[in-house]
């Protein structure tokens, strides 16, 4: 087995969409300390000098700090959504949010992917790791990646500033032996005791007698060492991929402008893209609910011309719809839900493929629909009705196309006059043949008509004789 471990050091801030200059604070009893620093899309991987410090000391250094309380549930939800994206690269996927066992320690948000069976598909370990890192960083997340034959070893290696890639068993012990005790996330009291005995590195521990380690420090320490070295089996509850996707994002306060919603919306659309990719599906409808002040709810639904799963296309459609409708009241929470799913056809890479240009047209139609409303952007369709005024209809953009040609035997002109215009009895050519239409007796629009082609006003007209009223009408023109 070969485990890729991803560590997200800024997840507490990313789960709250914390802006630059904002810090996330955790509480344990009467003590509060900094666990992350916000920076949006431009924050460095190192969260900043204040992370891990007592809040009082941090405020002495920077009195202007803006504080946000940590929300572990939001972090778990975000970590699971990030894990769904990994299903596109292999299985199983494991997600774990390790809360600090003692005050002053930082939480660790970890994802693992067993990638041994995926290496050939993605061009090798280096290419796979680079693609995963680039994908998450493009979404605005900061992470480190490590590789090891065991899950626990990868989690320990990823804590290093430059984690090595250990893909072979013979190199595992040498890579672990030089790691400091701080990478293990063991309790601080245990680490302090071990360091007091002169045991600074992991390699010094497994050189001691095993019975002495168990009798003095318990079996947990030895079990961790054996699991990391592959001498004891590891349990790894896999992260299931849910059949339906829904995410909620609680805003830090009441947001009165659309600009304040765009950053979390873009991030939610990125999470939805990962879930759709893992399912190899596309989306035809996306539903957004805004929970607002006073208990009000504003619902926004967006439809797509064809199945869509690209983050930017999802985000732009929602953004255009919100710009059209505006905020009815200050928003406190976002709830995004995947609606109708459909099979997805990826963009072809062939030189002569037309899929790329078709997708650009579809995106333009979706922007128009979001800006003008679904009722004003539609596509014409044919119906199985012989009456010309009922043989066409306006269909939603994502509705099935229906028949491409008129199902009847007789041809129809492209230009129709609506409503038909009364005319004097025309002079019909001697060879004119009538097309008789008798229909509509069952829906209250009974018609009995004889249709002809005849010259009229310098053009070729399509006229009919209403046999019930004995009157003539102009119905259309032939080009």
């Amino acid at each position: 087995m070969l485990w890729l471990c991803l560590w997200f050091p800024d997840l507490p801030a990313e789960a709250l969409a914390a802006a630059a200059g904002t810090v996330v604070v955790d509480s344990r009893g009467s003590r509060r300390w900094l666990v992350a620093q916000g920076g949006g899309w431009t924050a460095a991987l190192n969260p900043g000098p204040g992370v891990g410090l007592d809040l009082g000391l941090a405020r002495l250094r920077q009195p202007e700090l803006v504080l946000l309380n940590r929300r572990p549930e939001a972090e778990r939800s975000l970590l699971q959504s990030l894990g769904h994206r990994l299903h596109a690269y292999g299985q199983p996927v494991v997600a774990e949010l390790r809360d600090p066992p003692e005050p002053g320690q930082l939480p660790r948000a970890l994802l693992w992917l067993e990638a041994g069976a995926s290496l050939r598909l993605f061009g090798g370990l280096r290419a796979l790791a680079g693609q995963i890192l680039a994908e998450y960083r493009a979404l605005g997340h900061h992470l480190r990646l490590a590789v090891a034959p065991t899950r626990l070893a990868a989690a320990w290696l990823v804590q290093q500033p430059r984690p090595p890639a250990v893909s072979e068993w013979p190199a595992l012990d040498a890579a672990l032996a030089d790691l400091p005790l701080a990478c293990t996330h063991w309790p601080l009291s245990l680490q302090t005791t071990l360091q007091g005995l002169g045991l600074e590195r992991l390699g010094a521990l497994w050189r001691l007698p095993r019975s002495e380690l168990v009798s003095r420090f318990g079996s947990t320490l030895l079990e961790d060492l054996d699991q990391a070295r592959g001498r004891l089996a590891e349990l790894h509850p896999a992260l299931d991929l849910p059949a339906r996707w829904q995410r909620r994002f609680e805003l830090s306060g009441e947001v009165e402008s659309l600009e304040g919603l765009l950053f979390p919306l873009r991030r939610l659309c990125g999470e939805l893209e990962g879930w759709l990719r893992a399912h190899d599906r596309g989306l035809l409808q996306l539903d957004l609910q805004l929970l607002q002040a006073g208990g009000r709810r504003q619902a926004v639904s967006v439809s797509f011309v064809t199945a869509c799963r690209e983050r930017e296309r999802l985000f732009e459609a929602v953004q255009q719809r919100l710009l059209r409708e505006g905020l009815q009241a200050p928003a406190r929470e976002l709830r995004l839900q995947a609606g109708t799913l459909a099979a997805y056809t990826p963009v072809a890479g062939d030189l002569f493929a037309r899929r790329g240009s078709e997708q650009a047209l579809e995106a333009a139609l979706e922007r128009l629909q979001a800006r003008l409303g679904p009722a004003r952007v539609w596509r014409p369709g044919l119906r199985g009705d012989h009456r010309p005024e009922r043989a066409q209809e306006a269909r939603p953009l994502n509705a099935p196309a229906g028949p491409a040609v008129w199902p009847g035997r007789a041809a129809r002109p492209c230009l129709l006059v609506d409503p038909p215009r009364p005319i004097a009895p025309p002079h019909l050519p001697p060879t004119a043949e009538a097309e008789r239409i008798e229909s509509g007796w069952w829906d209250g629009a009974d018609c009995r008509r004889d249709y002809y082609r005849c010259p009229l006003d310098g053009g070729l007209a399509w006229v009919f004789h209403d046999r019930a009223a004995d009157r003539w009408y102009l119905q259309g023109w032939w080009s």
Side-chain angles (χ1 to χ4, degrees):
M1 300 185 80
L2 189 63
W3 290 95
L4 273 68
C5 180
L6 282 65
W7 174 43
F8 298 86
D10 286 354
L11 193 76
E14 293 169 355
L16 303 178
T22 304
V23 294
V24 181
V25 178
D26 200 0
S27 302
R28 189 69 60 87
S30 59
R31 184 177 177 185
R32 305 179 73 192
W33 69 97
L34 277 58
V35 296
Q37 180 173 330
W41 298 74
T42 59
L45 181 61
N46 184 2
V51 173
L53 292 181
D54 181 82
L55 177 59
L57 181 58
R59 275 191 153 171
L60 285 176
R61 297 181 178 181
Q62 293 180 319
E64 69 281 1
L65 285 178
V66 180
L67 307 181
L68 291 176
N69 290 322
R70 182 184 172 221
R71 297 179 192 161
E73 288 304 319
E75 296 171 26
R76 291 187 180 91
S77 182
L78 175 57
L79 187 63
Q80 289 179 359
S81 290
L82 296 176
H84 297 159
R85 181 175 289 271
L86 274 183
H87 281 87
Y89 296 97
Q91 289 183 353
V93 175
V94 183
E96 184 176 302
L97 181 62
R98 297 186 177 184
D99 280 320
E102 296 173 344
Q105 289 187 289
L106 304 180
R108 296 185 184 180
L110 303 171
L111 288 177
W112 291 268
L113 167 69
E114 204 293 296
S118 305
L119 297 183
R120 288 187 60 188
L121 179 62
F122 292 95
L125 177 59
R126 182 184 295 273
L128 175 60
Q131 186 172 341
I132 292 175
L133 286 171
E135 184 171 328
Y136 281 104
R137 286 170 179 166
L139 294 173
H141 298 286
H142 307 119
L143 70 158
R144 291 179 185 166
L145 185 147
V147 180
T150 67
R151 192 167 62 90
L152 189 55
W156 288 355
L157 289 170
V158 81
Q159 308 298 321
Q160 298 297 99
R162 293 188 176 181
V166 183
S167 57
E168 302 294 338
W169 283 101
L172 181 60
D173 274 4
L176 292 176
D178 198 43
L179 292 181
L181 300 182
C183 71
T184 62
H185 214 223
W186 289 337
L188 288 177
S189 57
L190 175 60
Q191 295 183 38
T192 302
T193 302
L194 292 172
Q195 291 170 354
L197 296 174
L199 305 173
E200 300 283 347
R201 305 286 173 177
L202 293 180
L205 294 177
W206 63 64
R207 287 192 290 267
L208 296 176
R210 296 173 61 88
S211 57
E212 295 295 331
L213 278 176
V214 173
S215 63
R216 183 154 186 179
F217 302 108
S219 60
T220 302
L221 184 147
L222 192 59
E223 289 175 359
D224 284 351
L225 291 174
D226 287 343
Q227 287 182 354
R229 301 172 71 191
R231 301 186 178 187
L232 186 65
E234 293 179 288
L235 297 178
H236 50 269
L239 177 65
D240 293 329
L241 196 62
R244 304 296 297 176
W245 188 90
Q246 180 177 358
R247 276 276 279 129
R248 60 184 292 268
F249 186 90
E250 186 178 350
L251 302 169
S252 56
E254 293 187 352
V255 177
E256 300 180 356
S257 64
L258 291 178
E259 288 75 11
L261 303 179
L262 297 184
F263 182 79
L265 270 177
R266 188 187 295 271
R267 177 153 289 170
L268 291 178
C269 289
E271 296 175 27
L272 176 56
E273 178 194 25
W275 180 84
L276 290 170
R277 286 183 53 191
H279 276 283
D280 197 21
R281 303 283 282 174
L283 197 64
L284 291 177
Q285 181 177 334
L286 181 61
D287 300 316
L288 172 67
Q289 268 197 353
L290 303 175
L291 276 66
Q292 299 174 329
R296 300 176 60 181
R297 293 173 182 259
Q298 181 178 351
V300 175
S301 182
V302 178
S303 299
F304 299 93
V305 179
T306 56
C308 163
R309 71 182 184 199
E310 294 79 17
R311 176 191 59 166
E312 288 303 321
R313 188 173 161 193
L314 295 168
F315 170 73
E316 187 170 7
V318 178
Q319 180 187 24
Q320 292 295 331
R321 187 62 183 274
L322 285 176
L323 288 173
R324 173 176 174 262
E325 296 192 0
L327 283 181
Q328 299 173 359
R332 294 178 174 176
E333 184 178 309
L334 305 178
R335 291 184 182 178
L336 199 63
Q337 180 177 354
T340 308
L341 301 179
Y344 178 77
T345 303
V347 178
D350 187 80
L351 177 62
F352 302 102
R354 299 178 56 193
R355 177 64 181 147
S357 58
E358 291 174 0
Q359 193 175 48
L361 174 61
E362 294 160 0
L365 291 174
E366 289 161 3
R367 287 195 297 269
L368 287 174
Q369 181 177 250
R371 181 65 67 88
L372 302 177
R376 296 188 177 184
V377 183
W378 45 269
R379 63 174 47 163
L382 296 176
R383 297 176 60 189
D385 197 314
H386 288 271
R387 292 167 290 182
E389 64 272 15
R390 301 198 179 200
Q392 301 181 43
E393 63 179 354
R395 295 185 176 180
L397 292 179
N398 57 359
V405 296
W406 164 246
R409 294 182 179 180
R412 291 285 185 268
C414 295
L415 180 60
L416 295 181
V417 177
D418 185 27
R421 191 176 72 199
I423 60 174
H427 177 70
L428 298 177
T431 58
E433 296 183 358
E435 176 193 353
R436 177 161 291 179
I437 297 179
E438 292 189 1
S439 181
W441 54 267
W442 61 87
D443 60 8
D446 187 15
C447 75
R448 289 178 289 166
R449 306 171 184 170
D450 289 337
Y451 280 86
Y452 299 89
R453 298 189 190 192
C454 72
L456 184 67
D457 297 338
L460 185 60
W462 195 42
V463 301
F464 70 85
H465 177 229
D466 187 340
R467 295 189 296 118
D470 192 22
R471 299 187 64 181
W472 286 85
Y473 292 88
L474 173 65
Q475 182 78 69
W477 294 94
W478 296 93
S479 58

